[in-house]
Amino acid sequence: ISQDLRKTIVDLHKSGSSLGAISKHLKVPRSSVQTIVLKYKHHGTTQPSYRSGRRLVLSPRDERTLVRKVQINPRTTAKDLVNILEETGTKVSISTVKQVLKGRSAKKKPLLQNHHKKVRLWFATAHGDKDHTFWRNVLWSDETKIELFGHNDHRYVWRKKGEACKPKNTIPTLKHGDDSIMLWGCFAAGGTGALHIIGGLKRGEHYVDILKQHLKTSVGKLKLGCKWVFQMDNDPKHTSKVVAKWLKDNKVKVLEWPSQ
């Protein structure tokens, strides 16, 4: 709220206008009007107050130095940044550096070589003008591993000190035996298709068995058009000769899929 508007609110209050009337007339929240009026009554001013607060550890120049360093190399550690500031005469803790820069976990992504990028660009260019009718007739597929006990990644819980071993704060694990299963599944824009538990998908023949069981039944269930297209990645089992022959014999059109 500008200083002129604050003065207008006080003048209207002095003239006998109610807080609600001032709020409606100036289109300012009633709570803001009340705060400004009370401040004027108690302190005789409408100027907003500023807290002095604690002196900043890092100057604006120091913050710009930190930002510049991490822009050049985002993997610079907080400890290295502390040492850089100490060389300029500024002593600061690692926690302060982390608070200023707001570090985030690095995302993992496939390692892409130049030929991978070129093929990806070709794929995007070749399919960029496809309309929704094309994509609605694509049957997408993939394999994945599901953890039955525990997780591959870290999990956090909110707990008190000394309650680490309470059942609700722990993740069960198995000492021996397989604690995960492999699944093959497919889906389209209209819904999900078959889900198959893989006992041991090691060769192309095993993959063909899955396709024989579930491919055409999933296409029928999802009511895909006669021009439906099958998507799969470039796993060696998928691109083997026996799989390619089965797809050709059954007239299954496969969507081109770039590596990585």
Side-chain angles (χ1 to χ4, degrees):
I1 299 177
S2 66
Q3 183 58 26
D4 290 339
L5 186 55
R6 291 171 180 269
K7 188 175 182 303
T8 303
I9 291 173
V10 172
D11 291 340
L12 290 173
H13 177 69
K14 287 180 179 180
S15 66
S17 299
S18 66
L19 299 180
I22 297 173
S23 173
K24 185 176 181 180
H25 176 66
L26 298 178
K27 297 181 179 179
V28 176
R30 190 182 186 283
S31 59
S32 300
V33 173
Q34 184 179 16
T35 300
I36 293 171
V37 171
L38 289 176
K39 183 174 181 62
Y40 177 78
K41 286 182 177 180
H42 289 89
H43 303 285
T45 179
T46 60
Q47 290 281 357
S49 59
Y50 299 97
R51 298 181 181 179
S52 58
R54 179 182 174 185
R55 187 176 67 85
L56 295 176
V57 177
L58 294 177
S59 67
R61 181 179 180 180
D62 292 331
E63 291 191 7
R64 289 196 298 271
T65 299
L66 291 178
V67 171
R68 186 168 60 252
K69 293 295 182 182
V70 296
Q71 284 178 341
I72 296 173
N73 182 10
R75 297 186 182 184
T76 305
T77 64
K79 186 176 181 180
D80 290 338
L81 294 172
V82 168
N83 294 334
I84 291 171
L85 290 178
E86 286 184 351
E87 292 176 357
T88 64
T90 302
K91 291 187 177 181
V92 66
S93 66
I94 291 178
S95 60
T96 300
V97 171
K98 291 180 178 180
Q99 186 176 4
V100 170
L101 294 178
K102 309 293 185 186
R104 299 289 186 269
S105 298
K107 298 291 186 182
K108 294 183 179 181
K109 61 183 293 294
L111 176 62
L112 299 180
Q113 306 294 343
N114 286 333
H115 66 276
H116 292 137
K117 297 177 182 179
K118 289 180 180 178
V119 177
R120 281 187 170 209
L121 179 59
W122 166 83
F123 179 87
T125 304
H127 298 83
D129 59 349
K130 302 288 187 183
D131 59 17
H132 70 279
T133 56
F134 173 82
W135 297 111
R136 288 190 65 84
N137 286 318
V138 175
L139 183 67
W140 308 89
S141 71
D142 202 4
E143 294 90 22
T144 188
K145 183 173 74 170
I146 302 296
E147 296 289 335
L148 298 180
F149 293 92
H151 300 274
N152 287 333
D153 57 346
H154 293 284
R155 293 301 173 99
Y156 295 89
V157 294
W158 301 105
R159 62 173 177 80
K160 296 180 181 179
K161 187 177 181 180
E163 295 184 350
C165 293
K166 284 192 173 183
K168 65 179 180 180
N169 296 329
T170 62
I171 296 176
T173 61
L174 290 178
K175 189 173 181 63
H176 301 289
D178 189 8
D179 59 351
S180 65
I181 58 173
M182 286 292 296
L183 297 172
W184 176 91
C186 62
F187 71 93
T192 56
L195 185 66
H196 181 86
I197 299 177
I198 303 173
L201 189 59
K202 299 178 181 178
R203 301 176 59 185
E205 289 82 356
H206 300 141
Y207 187 61
V208 169
D209 290 338
I210 293 176
L211 297 181
K212 288 179 179 179
Q213 292 182 58
H214 302 296
L215 192 60
K216 291 186 177 180
T217 56
S218 295
V219 170
K221 173 187 174 183
L222 296 170
K223 298 179 180 180
L224 299 180
C226 58
K227 295 183 179 180
W228 67 278
V229 180
F230 181 51
Q231 178 275 335
M232 59 182 183
D233 59 28
N234 292 305
D235 186 289
K237 295 182 292 294
H238 302 168
T239 57
S240 64
K241 292 182 179 180
V242 63
V243 174
K245 182 178 183 306
W246 187 89
L247 293 172
K248 183 179 179 180
D249 292 344
N250 288 272
K251 299 180 180 180
V252 177
K253 184 178 180 181
V254 179
L255 181 67
E256 306 94 337
W257 200 249
S259 299
Q260 287 288 69

